[in-house]
Amino acid sequence: MREPFLVINKKLRIVSANNSFYTTFKVSEKETIGQTLSNLGNNQWNIPKLIHLLKKILPKKMVVTNYEVDHEFKSIGRKTMNLNARQILIPNNVARLITRADKDNDEEFILLAIEDITERKQLEKEKDTSNNRYHSLFSESRDAIMTLEPPTWRFTDGNPATLKMFKAKNQAEFLACEPWRLSPKRQPDGRLSSEKAKEMIGIAMKKGSNFFEWVHKRLNGEEFFANVRLSRVERGKNSFLHAEVRDISENKKIENERKESEELFKNIFNEAGDGILLAEIKSKKFYMANKTMSLMLGYSLEEISHLGVSDIHPKKNLPYVISQFRKQAKGEIDLARNIPIKKKNGSIFYADIRTTIVKIEKKPYLMGFFHDITEHRKLEQALEDIREAKEKTILSSIGDGLMACDINGKITLFNNVLAELSGFPSKEAIGKHYQQVISLVIEETNKPAQDFITQTIKEGKTNSISNHTMIIKKDGTRIAVTYRSSPIFDKYSKNNGCVVIFRDFSDERKIDRAKTEFVSLASHQLRTPLTSINWIIEQFSNKNYGEITPKQENALKTLSASSHHMTDLVNTLLKVSLIDLGTFAIKPISTDISTLANEVLSDLSMEAKMKKLKFLKRFQAISKIKADPVIIRIIWQNLISNAIHYSPSGGKIKIGIIKHKKDLLLSVTDEGIGIPEKEHDNIFNKLYRASNAEKNDTGGSGLGLYIIKSILDNSGGKIWFNSNKNKGTTFYVTIPLSGMTSK
Ligand code: ADP
């Protein structure tokens, strides 16, 4: 027997077993024969259902068939067994043969056939579940599922979704339906549905399956788009078709709407007057462009798709263009103006680019609308040219030298008058730094003059120089000039360079010099007769020419005072003219500054007494320094007499000498009328007198401070003052400890 087989006696001991039993249950003959069934194989066969069969059922029925037992064996795992058992009586002699028993009486035995049906059971189970699955799929599916069978290819089955899709009342109505009733006469490609259907079926039968789009018709006449999959199913020798139909009319509708909006977009995109260009934000490569853009750039659309932002702008502008692109990609700005764009042929045009950020398949793109502004720029340029031409005519006809510089000091304009003045032709000067062309020196020293032009460019300040400045011509000759530099501001009020106007001052300077020389000569000539007059007045006063009456004596006193005043005036004029001519000599020798101060104070003590003014001295002990005693005397004389002059009676005048690290500081402080603030700047000018001084006192010349400042400027010293109107004034003078310098 192929199946495992046991012979068991009434006490349930195994009397005999076949080979199949041993191999199937992995036990040996030795372990088996003579064992009770419940002890067999370490009690593995102690199966309650089996014991129940053998002990209870079999004695009554004698025969039991297809009794199923399911049991977990330790050695071989879970098994399902189909048992067939029969109780038989075997004559003693036969029994002995098979059991080796030596009893005389006949014996009852049980024959037990064990069929291992584990695998079959498993297969059945799987079949069931797959059947169930198919059935639930079939009935629950939203897709219509149906079967068609040859040769007529009529429907033989259809799931509930099929009935719903085709609007059939029930299965019967659907199955009664000829297939041609479920399609319109023709498909969208114009072919007859009947013919095309046959072809589709043919392909499915040949290849096993066929997937295609189909227009169906519901029983109410409504047509719809569907995806159809036909699959061949083999059943024995016959095969039939299984059809799945999905209604895609909704998708089609969405698809159509999408197509329409895409069409609309395409039209707008392609017909737009502005160039449109889509660039991927990260790589800056172009993704799409419209026709206008292609025309603008001179590249075909295909070529554009291989380019990126860096390919369509001049190289030198790229950093700026890319910075604008980044700002637009971040949404910080949506308009980049005046962007230079390089065409395929290398020519440049300008565009304003307005952008918006779009997402395509989750990737961000910058969509730019390019508006060509070349024409607009040309127009602007033309206007600019007209403006410039006008300006040029004005500038070239100006009588003064004129130069314009950019923010870096480069000359951008240089008119003919300045070309004449500097000796540099305009063509040569333009484009150079102004310092390479214009060289200015101080008239007296020939040292470089302070560079006010750079200051104007840097600080946007207007500066002017009115004297002592010479321009050195290309050929080395010098011309006296005055100049005025003014900043140029652009439309955003940003300092953008400067304009400088030069005026040839040599004629004025010549006239000035002639005047000064005349004053110098005249005052010099006047000194000789004045000396004689003074000497004779003195002889009369000293009664060297005889007695004089008290009346005569008074008249002589007035005469002497006026004559001395005139001498002072003439001397002062002489000094001024010498200074202006640059021939005033400074002769520094070892000088005691405080001694000179004391001398001047005692000279002026009478005047002070008359005005009830007190002198307060504060002199630091100092050793002598190198200075011109005549000049120091002039300084003390002027400052102290001014203090007396411009003080009302009754007050203090402080005179100080302080030694600083590098200078000696002289000061004279009064409590007088002060100097009005808006006149401060003019106090050191030649012949200048403040308005309040002029009103109260007509005796001054307005030359003293001018002389002091001119001398100090040329000898290493300084003079300045603090003053409050009606409160008082302090004049300060410094003289370098190293001594006055003579020039
Ligand atoms: P002046 O002969 O007029 O005094 P200066 O050159 O010495 O000429 O002074 C010029 C002007 O400065 C004076 O006219 C006066 O207006 C002003 N000034 C000078 N010193 C004083 C002072 N101590 N107090 C007020 N004003 C003064």
Side-chain angles (χ1 to χ4, degrees):
M1 284 182 81
R2 268 175 53 214
E3 289 155 8
F5 186 80
L6 289 178
V7 180
I8 306 166
N9 69 11
K10 269 185 92 179
K11 287 172 187 158
L12 299 188
R13 269 183 203 281
I14 296 162
V15 179
S16 180
N18 70 349
N19 264 336
S20 174
F21 181 83
Y22 298 133
T23 50
T24 307
F25 295 104
K26 303 224 163 63
V27 282
S28 66
E29 187 178 352
K30 238 184 174 176
E31 291 165 325
T32 311
I33 303 297
Q35 291 283 348
T36 60
L37 198 60
S38 43
N39 287 342
L40 182 65
N42 283 336
N43 303 336
Q44 282 196 68
W45 284 84
N46 193 3
I47 306 166
K49 209 176 162 189
L50 177 62
I51 308 292
H52 179 78
L53 165 78
L54 299 177
K55 277 194 172 166
K56 295 268 147 71
I57 303 173
L58 206 56
K60 275 187 215 152
K61 287 198 171 174
M62 302 305 284
V63 175
V64 175
T65 53
N66 292 334
Y67 185 84
E68 231 180 79
V69 174
D70 202 39
H71 184 66
E72 181 84 39
F73 289 95
K74 267 186 203 141
S75 50
I76 51 170
R78 193 171 193 89
K79 290 280 171 199
T80 311
M81 297 170 286
N82 188 29
L83 305 180
N84 286 290
R86 180 178 293 265
Q87 200 164 336
I88 51 165
L89 196 71
I90 298 179
N92 174 266
N93 52 344
V94 179
R96 221 178 293 148
L97 267 178
I98 45 172
T99 65
R100 293 178 216 115
D102 47 9
K103 290 181 189 145
D104 284 337
N105 32 353
D106 298 343
E107 260 203 75
E108 272 178 26
F109 289 97
I110 298 167
L111 306 183
L112 181 65
I114 307 163
E115 190 188 355
D116 180 358
I117 55 163
T118 317
E119 228 165 86
R120 201 178 77 208
K121 273 276 166 191
Q122 187 61 31
L123 279 174
E124 265 172 18
K125 216 166 131 194
E126 273 170 21
K127 201 173 132 204
D128 272 0
T129 50
S130 107
N131 261 352
N132 281 344
R133 224 181 272 152
Y134 174 77
H135 254 278
S136 65
L137 225 132
F138 183 77
S139 54
E140 304 298 329
S141 169
R142 278 171 49 213
D143 293 339
I145 303 173
M146 59 212 85
T147 52
L148 308 90
E149 284 191 32
T152 56
W153 298 112
R154 288 188 67 138
F155 297 110
T156 49
D157 200 358
N159 69 346
T162 307
L163 307 184
K164 217 170 141 195
M165 185 179 287
F166 290 105
K167 296 250 163 25
K169 268 186 228 117
N170 49 40
Q171 179 103 353
E173 191 187 32
F174 173 68
L175 294 181
C177 213
E178 297 91 350
W180 56 261
R181 276 191 60 198
L182 299 182
S183 301
K185 194 169 179 205
R186 287 177 190 276
Q187 288 299 305
D189 60 3
R191 293 184 60 191
L192 283 170
S193 294
S194 52
E195 267 176 27
K196 198 172 175 184
K198 263 184 213 150
E199 185 188 318
M200 294 295 123
I201 288 170
I203 294 171
M205 289 302 283
K206 202 167 151 203
K207 291 194 175 166
S209 78
N210 188 11
F211 182 83
F212 52 93
E213 213 171 80
W214 192 260
V215 177
H216 269 301
K217 196 168 81 179
R218 303 187 215 279
L219 286 176
N220 66 4
E222 189 191 347
E223 292 178 14
F224 64 96
F225 277 92
N227 279 339
V228 178
R229 181 190 298 283
L230 295 178
S231 316
R232 187 181 64 207
V233 182
E234 314 278 351
R235 195 175 46 199
K237 274 184 194 154
N238 302 324
S239 24
F240 64 99
L241 281 178
H242 173 103
E244 286 164 56
V245 179
R246 175 169 294 181
D247 183 343
I248 55 163
S249 47
E250 203 47 41
N251 296 8
K252 269 275 169 190
K253 212 168 116 196
I254 293 169
E255 168 91 342
N256 279 341
E257 279 169 7
R258 194 180 62 83
K259 268 192 185 152
E260 271 170 26
S261 77
E262 207 165 76
E263 197 64 21
L264 187 70
F265 169 78
K266 258 193 194 152
N267 279 338
I268 296 173
F269 190 74
N270 280 327
E271 302 312 324
D274 283 348
I276 307 176
L277 196 50
L278 261 91
E280 202 207 322
I281 285 180
K282 225 173 158 192
S283 67
K284 301 187 190 63
K285 291 272 169 235
F286 298 140
Y287 171 73
M288 202 192 231
N290 69 350
K291 278 188 222 152
T292 317
M293 195 72 231
S294 154
L295 284 174
M296 270 182 173
L297 290 174
Y299 287 107
S300 70
L301 290 174
E302 158 66 16
E303 282 172 320
I304 292 176
S305 70
H306 298 294
L307 300 176
V309 173
S310 56
D311 300 311
I312 61 154
H313 301 282
K315 234 189 190 145
K316 62 171 186 204
N317 303 106
L318 264 186
Y320 174 72
V321 173
I322 284 175
S323 80
Q324 292 295 94
F325 181 93
R326 290 214 175 106
K327 276 187 193 162
Q328 290 181 313
K330 279 188 203 154
E332 290 171 5
I333 54 167
D334 61 3
L335 177 65
R337 283 186 188 280
N338 250 327
I339 300 295
I341 292 162
K342 195 174 72 187
K343 289 175 129 182
K344 188 181 181 183
N345 65 12
S347 64
I348 308 283
F349 70 95
Y350 288 80
D352 284 351
I353 308 173
R354 199 172 276 287
T355 52
T356 110
I357 299 161
V358 292
K359 272 202 173 148
I360 302 171
E361 283 160 7
K362 288 185 185 155
K363 242 194 207 171
Y365 291 85
L366 197 60
M367 177 144 90
F369 297 82
F370 288 60
H371 187 68
D372 188 341
I373 54 161
T374 316
E375 281 307 312
H376 179 78
R377 270 175 69 103
K378 269 189 196 154
L379 215 69
E380 259 191 359
Q381 189 59 46
L383 278 175
E384 182 66 19
D385 287 350
I386 293 170
R387 210 177 299 138
E388 215 168 82
K390 229 161 98 189
E391 274 172 14
K392 267 199 181 138
T393 326
I394 295 169
L395 294 179
S396 55
S397 54
I398 252 177
D400 292 331
L402 191 136
M403 163 178 96
C405 300
D406 67 11
I407 190 76
N408 300 313
K410 247 194 203 161
I411 298 174
T412 54
L413 196 144
F414 202 81
N415 76 351
N416 291 338
V417 181
L418 189 55
E420 185 94 354
L421 211 57
S422 64
F424 281 91
S426 301
K427 267 191 195 156
E428 202 178 308
I430 288 174
K432 286 205 170 103
H433 193 276
Y434 78 89
Q435 283 168 346
Q436 291 175 280
V437 177
I438 302 292
S439 136
L440 297 166
V441 295
I442 296 167
E443 183 176 4
E444 292 81 12
T445 60
N446 220 18
K447 284 187 179 157
Q450 200 176 344
D451 186 354
F452 287 117
I453 298 176
T454 299
Q455 196 185 26
T456 299
I457 294 174
K458 278 194 180 148
E459 296 169 19
K461 255 196 205 158
T462 299
N463 283 311
S464 61
I465 290 295
S466 55
N467 54 27
H468 303 291
T469 307
M470 309 286 272
I471 189 166
I472 300 186
K473 283 181 85 158
K474 202 179 177 189
D475 62 9
T477 53
R478 310 190 323 163
I479 296 180
V481 288
T482 62
Y483 76 83
R484 184 184 173 81
S485 57
S486 315
I488 305 174
F489 294 110
D490 64 12
K491 57 183 166 191
Y492 307 109
S493 304
K494 221 181 98 192
N495 190 5
N496 209 13
C498 78
V499 173
V500 193
I501 293 177
F502 292 90
R503 175 165 290 174
D504 182 344
F505 210 61
S506 43
D507 287 346
E508 282 95 332
R509 194 56 58 81
K510 271 182 209 153
I511 295 167
D512 258 7
R513 200 175 169 83
K515 273 195 228 161
T516 312
E517 277 168 356
F518 170 76
V519 172
S520 177
L521 189 75
S523 47
H524 200 83
Q525 296 294 325
L526 283 172
R527 276 181 2 149
T528 323
L530 270 174
T531 315
S532 323
I533 293 169
N534 281 336
W535 188 80
I536 291 169
I537 293 171
E538 212 167 300
Q539 295 305 312
F540 274 109
S541 302
N542 290 343
K543 301 178 184 167
N544 289 345
Y545 299 128
E547 278 306 309
I548 46 171
T549 63
K551 220 179 177 180
Q552 285 169 331
E553 196 178 346
N554 263 345
L556 277 173
K557 262 184 194 161
T558 312
L559 195 61
S560 167
S562 291
S563 172
H564 274 106
H565 189 211
M566 199 186 315
T567 313
D568 282 350
L569 213 62
V570 167
N571 281 335
T572 307
L573 279 176
L574 183 61
K575 271 180 217 132
V576 170
S577 59
L578 292 180
I579 286 167
D580 287 353
L581 290 170
T583 52
F584 188 90
I586 299 167
K587 295 172 193 142
I589 53 167
S590 178
T591 305
D592 189 334
I593 310 291
S594 53
T595 308
L596 286 169
N598 283 327
E599 281 174 25
V600 171
L601 284 173
S602 82
D603 286 353
L604 296 171
S605 60
M606 276 301 288
E607 258 183 79
K609 220 178 205 172
M610 276 161 67
K611 285 188 92 169
K612 297 192 180 108
L613 292 165
K614 260 192 196 155
F615 290 135
L616 292 177
K617 294 190 283 183
R618 193 161 292 173
F619 295 171
Q620 260 181 10
I622 41 152
S623 53
K624 297 175 173 180
I625 62 165
K626 280 189 92 180
D628 185 330
V630 179
I631 292 169
I632 300 296
R633 181 178 264 281
I634 294 173
I635 293 171
W636 282 131
Q637 166 74 34
N638 257 288
L639 297 184
I640 298 168
S641 70
N642 277 350
I644 295 170
H645 231 111
Y646 301 113
S647 289
S649 57
K652 283 171 260 161
I653 293 173
K654 294 181 206 159
I655 303 101
I657 303 174
I658 300 172
K659 194 173 164 186
H660 280 170
K661 240 185 183 173
K662 287 185 172 168
D663 306 293
L664 208 57
L665 179 73
L666 320 183
S667 63
V668 177
T669 306
D670 64 53
E671 299 169 342
I673 60 171
I675 300 166
E677 192 167 343
K678 58 180 177 197
E679 295 183 64
H680 281 194
D681 284 352
N682 300 322
I683 283 304
F684 295 107
N685 288 349
K686 206 194 281 185
L687 297 172
Y688 190 85
R689 305 200 66 216
S691 51
N692 57 343
E694 203 135 49
K695 231 187 268 169
N696 300 337
D697 174 272
T698 47
S701 66
L703 288 170
L705 291 177
Y706 169 74
I707 292 172
I708 299 177
K709 180 151 169 52
S710 302
I711 296 171
L712 286 170
D713 280 352
N714 283 310
S715 62
K718 268 189 197 132
I719 178 164
W720 72 98
F721 65 91
N722 284 330
S723 182
N724 283 318
K725 204 179 163 194
N726 297 326
K727 291 220 167 117
T729 307
T730 301
F731 272 90
Y732 298 96
V733 166
T734 57
I735 295 161
L737 288 178
S738 54
M740 279 181 160
T741 47
S742 90
K743 286 184 183 157

